[in-house]
Coordinates of all heavy atoms in Angstrom, one line a residue:
G141 N -2.8 -17.7 21.6 CA -4.3 -17.6 21.8 C -4.9 -19.0 21.8 O -4.3 -20.1 21.6
R142 N -6.1 -18.9 22.2 CA -7.0 -20.2 22.4 C -7.6 -20.5 21.0 O -8.4 -19.7 20.5 CB -8.1 -20.0 23.4 CG -9.0 -21.1 23.7 CD -9.9 -21.0 24.8 NE -10.6 -19.9 24.8 CZ -11.9 -19.9 24.2 NH1 -12.3 -21.0 23.6 NH2 -12.6 -18.8 24.4
T143 N -7.2 -21.6 20.4 CA -7.7 -21.9 19.1 C -8.5 -23.4 19.2 O -8.3 -24.1 20.1 CB -6.6 -22.1 18.1 OG1 -5.7 -23.2 18.6 CG2 -5.7 -20.8 18.0
F144 N -9.3 -23.6 18.3 CA -10.0 -24.9 18.2 C -10.2 -25.1 16.7 O -10.0 -24.2 15.7 CB -11.3 -24.8 18.9 CG -12.2 -23.8 18.5 CD1 -13.2 -23.9 17.6 CD2 -12.2 -22.4 19.0 CE1 -14.1 -23.0 17.2 CE2 -13.0 -21.5 18.7 CZ -14.1 -21.7 17.8
N145 N -10.7 -26.2 16.4 CA -10.8 -26.6 15.0 C -12.4 -26.5 14.6 O -13.3 -26.6 15.5 CB -10.5 -28.1 14.8 CG -9.1 -28.4 14.8 OD1 -8.4 -27.5 14.5 ND2 -8.7 -29.6 15.3
W146 N -12.6 -26.0 13.4 CA -14.0 -25.8 12.9 C -14.1 -26.5 11.5 O -13.3 -26.1 10.6 CB -14.1 -24.4 12.7 CG -15.5 -23.9 12.4 CD1 -16.7 -24.3 12.9 CD2 -15.8 -22.8 11.4 NE1 -17.6 -23.6 12.4 CE2 -17.2 -22.9 11.4 CE3 -15.1 -22.1 10.5 CZ2 -17.9 -22.0 10.5 CZ3 -15.7 -21.2 9.6 CH2 -17.1 -21.2 9.6
N147 N -15.0 -27.4 11.5 CA -15.2 -28.2 10.2 C -16.2 -27.4 9.2 O -17.2 -27.2 9.7 CB -15.6 -29.6 10.5 CG -14.5 -30.4 11.1 OD1 -13.4 -30.4 10.6 ND2 -14.7 -31.1 12.1
R148 N -15.6 -27.0 8.1 CA -16.6 -26.4 7.1 C -15.9 -26.3 5.9 O -14.7 -26.2 5.7 CB -17.0 -25.0 7.6 CG -18.0 -24.4 6.6 CD -18.4 -23.1 7.1 NE -19.5 -22.5 6.3 CZ -20.0 -21.3 6.4 NH1 -19.7 -20.6 7.4 NH2 -20.8 -20.9 5.5
G149 N -16.6 -26.6 4.8 CA -16.0 -26.6 3.5 C -15.1 -27.7 3.3 O -15.3 -28.9 3.7
I150 N -13.8 -27.6 2.7 CA -12.9 -28.6 2.5 C -11.8 -28.4 3.4 O -11.0 -27.4 3.6 CB -12.3 -28.4 1.0 CG1 -13.4 -28.5 0.0 CG2 -11.2 -29.3 0.8 CD1 -13.0 -28.3 -1.4
G151 N -11.6 -29.4 4.4 CA -10.5 -29.3 5.3 C -10.9 -28.9 6.6 O -12.2 -28.5 6.9
T152 N -9.9 -28.9 7.6 CA -10.2 -28.6 8.9 C -9.5 -27.2 9.2 O -8.4 -27.2 9.1 CB -9.8 -29.5 9.9 OG1 -10.5 -30.8 9.6 CG2 -10.1 -29.2 11.4
Y153 N -10.2 -26.2 9.6 CA -9.6 -24.9 9.8 C -9.2 -24.5 11.2 O -10.1 -25.0 12.2 CB -10.6 -23.8 9.2 CG -10.5 -23.7 7.7 CD1 -11.3 -24.5 7.0 CD2 -9.6 -22.8 7.1 CE1 -11.3 -24.5 5.6 CE2 -9.5 -22.9 5.7 CZ -10.3 -23.7 5.0 OH -10.2 -23.7 3.6
S154 N -8.3 -23.9 11.4 CA -7.8 -23.3 12.7 C -8.6 -21.9 12.8 O -8.4 -21.1 12.0 CB -6.4 -23.1 12.9 OG -6.1 -22.7 14.1
T155 N -9.2 -21.6 13.9 CA -9.9 -20.4 14.0 C -9.6 -19.8 15.4 O -9.5 -20.6 16.4 CB -11.3 -20.5 13.7 OG1 -12.0 -19.3 14.1 CG2 -12.0 -21.5 14.6
A156 N -9.6 -18.5 15.7 CA -9.3 -17.8 16.9 C -10.7 -17.2 17.3 O -11.0 -16.3 16.6 CB -8.2 -16.9 16.8
F157 N -11.4 -17.7 18.4 CA -12.5 -17.0 18.9 C -13.5 -16.6 18.0 O -14.2 -15.6 18.1 CB -12.0 -15.7 19.6 CG -10.8 -15.9 20.5 CD1 -9.5 -15.7 20.1 CD2 -10.9 -16.2 21.8 CE1 -8.3 -15.8 20.9 CE2 -9.9 -16.3 22.7 CZ -8.6 -16.1 22.2
A158 N -13.8 -17.5 17.0 CA -14.7 -17.2 15.9 C -16.1 -17.0 16.4 O -16.9 -16.3 15.7 CB -14.6 -18.3 14.9
T159 N -16.4 -17.7 17.4 CA -17.8 -17.6 17.9 C -18.1 -16.5 19.1 O -19.3 -16.4 19.6 CB -18.4 -18.9 18.4 OG1 -17.5 -19.3 19.6 CG2 -18.3 -19.9 17.4
E160 N -16.9 -15.9 19.6 CA -17.1 -14.9 20.6 C -17.5 -13.5 20.0 O -17.2 -13.2 18.8 CB -15.9 -14.9 21.3 CG -15.5 -16.2 22.0 CD -14.2 -16.0 23.0 OE1 -13.7 -14.9 23.1 OE2 -13.8 -17.0 23.5
E161 N -17.9 -12.6 21.0 CA -18.1 -11.3 20.4 C -16.9 -10.6 20.3 O -15.9 -10.8 20.8 CB -19.0 -10.6 21.6 CG -20.4 -11.0 21.7 CD -21.2 -10.7 20.3 OE1 -21.2 -9.6 19.8 OE2 -21.9 -11.7 20.0
P162 N -16.9 -9.6 19.2 CA -15.7 -8.9 18.8 C -15.1 -8.1 20.0 O -16.0 -7.6 20.8 CB -16.0 -8.0 17.7 CG -17.3 -8.8 17.2 CD -17.9 -9.3 18.2
I163 N -13.9 -8.0 20.1 CA -13.3 -7.2 21.1 C -13.6 -5.7 20.9 O -13.7 -5.1 19.8 CB -11.8 -7.2 21.1 CG1 -11.4 -8.6 21.8 CG2 -11.1 -6.2 21.9 CD1 -9.9 -8.9 21.8
T164 N -14.0 -4.9 21.9 CA -14.2 -3.5 21.9 C -12.8 -2.7 21.9 O -12.0 -2.9 22.7 CB -15.0 -3.0 23.0 OG1 -16.2 -3.7 23.1 CG2 -15.1 -1.4 22.9
P165 N -12.5 -2.1 20.6 CA -11.2 -1.4 20.4 C -11.0 -0.4 21.7 O -11.9 0.4 22.1 CB -11.3 -0.7 19.1 CG -12.3 -1.5 18.5 CD -13.3 -1.8 19.4
Q166 N -9.7 -0.3 22.2 CA -9.5 0.6 23.2 C -9.0 1.9 22.5 O -7.7 2.3 22.7 CB -8.4 0.1 24.1 CG -8.9 -1.2 24.8 CD -10.1 -1.0 25.6 OE1 -10.1 -0.1 26.6 NE2 -11.2 -1.8 25.4
V167 N -9.8 2.6 21.8 CA -9.5 3.7 21.2 C -10.8 4.7 20.9 O -11.9 4.1 20.8 CB -8.7 3.5 19.9 CG1 -9.7 2.8 18.9 CG2 -8.2 4.9 19.2
Q168 N -10.6 5.9 21.0 CA -11.7 6.8 20.8 C -11.6 7.5 19.4 O -10.6 8.1 19.2 CB -11.7 7.9 21.9 CG -13.0 8.8 21.8 CD -13.0 9.9 22.8 OE1 -12.2 9.9 23.8 NE2 -13.9 10.6 22.9
V169 N -12.7 7.5 18.7 CA -12.7 8.2 17.4 C -12.7 9.7 17.8 O -13.9 10.2 18.3 CB -13.8 7.8 16.4 CG1 -13.9 8.6 15.3 CG2 -13.7 6.3 16.2
K170 N -11.8 10.4 17.4 CA -11.6 11.8 17.9 C -12.0 12.8 16.7 O -12.4 13.9 16.8 CB -10.3 12.2 18.4 CG -10.0 11.5 19.8 CD -8.6 11.8 20.2 CE -8.2 11.1 21.5 NZ -6.8 11.4 21.9
Y171 N -11.5 12.4 15.5 CA -11.5 13.3 14.3 C -12.3 12.6 13.2 O -11.9 11.7 12.6 CB -10.1 13.6 13.9 CG -9.3 14.1 14.9 CD1 -8.2 13.3 15.5 CD2 -9.5 15.3 15.6 CE1 -7.4 13.6 16.6 CE2 -8.7 15.6 16.8 CZ -7.7 14.9 17.3 OH -6.9 15.2 18.3
T172 N -13.4 13.4 12.8 CA -14.3 12.8 11.7 C -14.6 14.0 10.7 O -15.4 13.5 9.7 CB -15.5 12.4 12.2 OG1 -16.3 13.3 13.0 CG2 -15.3 11.1 13.2
Q173 N -14.2 15.2 10.8 CA -14.5 16.3 10.0 C -13.3 16.4 8.9 O -12.4 15.6 9.0 CB -14.6 17.5 10.7 CG -15.7 17.6 11.7 CD -15.6 18.9 12.6 OE1 -14.7 19.0 13.4 NE2 -16.5 19.7 12.4
L174 N -13.5 17.1 8.0 CA -12.5 17.6 7.0 C -11.4 18.5 7.6 O -11.8 19.2 8.5 CB -13.2 18.2 5.8 CG -14.4 17.6 5.2 CD1 -14.9 18.4 4.0 CD2 -14.2 16.2 4.6
L175 N -10.2 18.2 7.1 CA -9.2 19.1 7.6 C -8.8 20.1 6.4 O -8.4 19.7 5.4 CB -7.9 18.4 8.0 CG -6.7 19.2 8.4 CD1 -7.0 19.9 9.6 CD2 -5.4 18.4 8.5
I176 N -9.2 21.4 6.6 CA -9.0 22.5 5.6 C -8.3 23.7 6.4 O -8.8 24.2 7.4 CB -10.3 22.8 5.0 CG1 -10.9 21.6 4.1 CG2 -10.0 24.0 3.9 CD1 -12.2 21.9 3.6

Side-chain angles (χ1 to χ4, degrees):
R142 179 166 59 85
T143 63
F144 58 92
N145 288 330
W146 184 48
N147 290 308
R148 185 173 179 182
I150 299 175
T152 302
Y153 281 86
S154 178
T155 174
F157 310 91
T159 61
E160 295 183 8
E161 287 300 310
I163 286 179
T164 300
Q166 299 302 304
V167 63
Q168 181 182 2
V169 178
K170 297 178 181 178
Y171 310 109
T172 60
Q173 297 172 289
L174 312 178
L175 177 67
I176 298 177

